[in-house]
């Protein structure tokens, strides 16, 4: 499995290592300087952006729509970590309110959540016609549709009443039977977890297929294949 993944990525291990060291050093400086939490997140993430952009461009040149799949999986995984941070603040550090809004708390807004989940659903819908036989992508579709419905309800309530943080359909106090006995942050952490896991597995599954198809093409038409 590891050899296949290495065969279809462009970044050298040394580049990844230097990027990781730079990220760690930036985070250390930010901690020493007593930056706010969002600043720590910014310092840790920014060194990875050039590598992410380069990887996306390389993948688009060689695998086209797999680049969108890659961007979706990476960004949704980052979004999941934001929810991990929030539930950690709530359940480990016993914070609440404005102190428990994740790393980038200023983005904890209803319209941001709605736009984000709309982006995930739209990207999945764009990918499915290209990767119809990917079972994990179909699973992601079902989960992302329900997640989008939840945020449609929450966003509608926000637009009509001005209230944010409402439970939606299934969180405690929700519209369906009063919801489940769990608060909204926990429920949406679960939503993002079960949405991200099949998405990432689906990307790996599709990368393996791309590798196998490339090897088959090289075997059948060796003179027509150029090395990426």
């Amino acid at each position: 499995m590891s050899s296949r993944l290495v065969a279809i990525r462009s970044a050298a291990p040394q580049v990844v290592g230097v990027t990781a060291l730079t990220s760690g050093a930036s985070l250390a400086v930010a901690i020493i300087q007593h930056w706010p939490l969002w600043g720590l997140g910014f310092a840790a993430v920014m060194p990875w952006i050039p590598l992410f952009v380069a990887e996306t461009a390389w993948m688009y040149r060689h695998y086209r729509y797999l680049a969108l799949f890659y961007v979706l999986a990476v960004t949704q995984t980052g979004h999941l970590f934001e929810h991990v941070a929030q539930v950690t603040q709530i359940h480990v550090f016993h914070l609440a309110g404005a102190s428990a809004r994740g790393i980038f708390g200023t983005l904890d807004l209803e319209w941001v959540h709605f736009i984000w989940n709309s982006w995930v659903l739209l990207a999945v819908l764009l990918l499915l016609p290209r990767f119809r036989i990917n079972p994990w992508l179909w699973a992601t579709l079902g989960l992302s549709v329900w997640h989008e419905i939840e945020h449609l309800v929450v966003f509608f309530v926000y637009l009509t009443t001005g209230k944010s943080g409402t439970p939606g359909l299934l969180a405690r106090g929700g519209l369906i039977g009063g919801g489940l006995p769990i608060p909204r942050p926990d429920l949406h952490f679960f939503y993002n977890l079960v949405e991200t896991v099949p998405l990432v597995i689906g990307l790996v599954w599709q990368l393996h297929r791309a590798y196998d198809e490339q090897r088959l093409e090289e075997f059948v038409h060796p003179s027509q294949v150029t090395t990426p």
Side-chain angles (χ1 to χ4, degrees):
M1 179 182 295
S2 60
S3 62
R4 289 183 174 187
L5 293 179
V6 169
I8 57 176
R9 66 179 178 82
S10 65
Q14 297 90 333
V15 174
V16 177
V18 169
T19 303
L21 288 174
T22 304
S23 176
S26 298
L27 179 59
V29 170
I31 292 173
I32 293 172
Q33 295 294 324
H34 302 289
W35 286 14
L37 185 58
W38 67 265
L40 300 182
F42 184 82
V45 169
M46 279 305 296
W48 292 99
I49 299 300
L51 180 60
F52 173 65
V53 172
E55 285 286 282
T56 301
W58 182 91
M59 191 169 290
Y60 178 75
R61 288 196 302 270
H62 294 91
Y63 299 101
R64 297 303 180 190
Y65 268 87
L66 265 177
L68 176 60
F69 208 154
Y70 171 72
V71 170
L72 177 61
V74 170
T75 56
Q76 175 58 24
T77 300
H79 184 69
L80 172 63
F81 279 118
E82 184 73 358
H83 282 272
V84 170
Q86 184 181 38
V87 295
T88 300
Q89 290 168 335
I90 293 171
H91 297 293
V92 176
F93 298 106
H94 306 291
L95 302 176
S99 299
R101 301 178 67 186
I103 298 173
F104 300 100
T106 54
L107 296 178
D108 185 21
L109 304 170
E110 297 298 4
W111 65 268
V112 173
H113 288 292
F114 174 71
I115 290 174
W116 183 270
N117 285 279
S118 298
W119 136 251
V120 172
L121 179 57
L122 176 61
V124 171
L125 290 173
L126 288 173
L127 290 170
L128 273 171
R130 279 82 186 175
F131 309 117
R132 291 186 181 91
I133 65 172
N134 189 319
W136 299 101
L137 195 57
W138 283 102
T140 303
L141 174 65
L143 295 164
S144 60
V145 166
W146 176 254
H147 198 180
E148 178 74 352
I149 292 171
E150 276 272 22
H151 278 285
L152 274 171
V153 172
V154 170
F155 193 52
F156 176 78
V157 172
Y158 172 72
L159 290 177
T160 54
T161 68
K163 295 180 180 179
S164 61
T166 53
L169 296 175
L170 287 182
R172 182 187 298 149
L175 296 177
I176 298 180
L180 300 172
I182 56 175
R184 174 176 162 175
D186 291 355
L187 178 65
H188 284 260
F189 161 72
F190 176 74
Y191 280 159
N192 280 279
L193 177 63
V194 298
E195 196 172 339
T196 304
V197 169
L199 180 63
V200 172
I201 295 175
L203 174 63
V204 174
W205 188 89
Q206 200 64 52
L207 289 173
H208 285 181
R209 283 188 58 85
Y211 175 87
D212 291 339
E213 290 169 0
Q214 179 181 323
R215 296 284 77 83
L216 178 61
E217 183 68 17
E218 291 174 353
F219 177 78
V220 176
H221 303 291
S223 62
Q224 299 179 16
V225 178
T226 57
T227 303

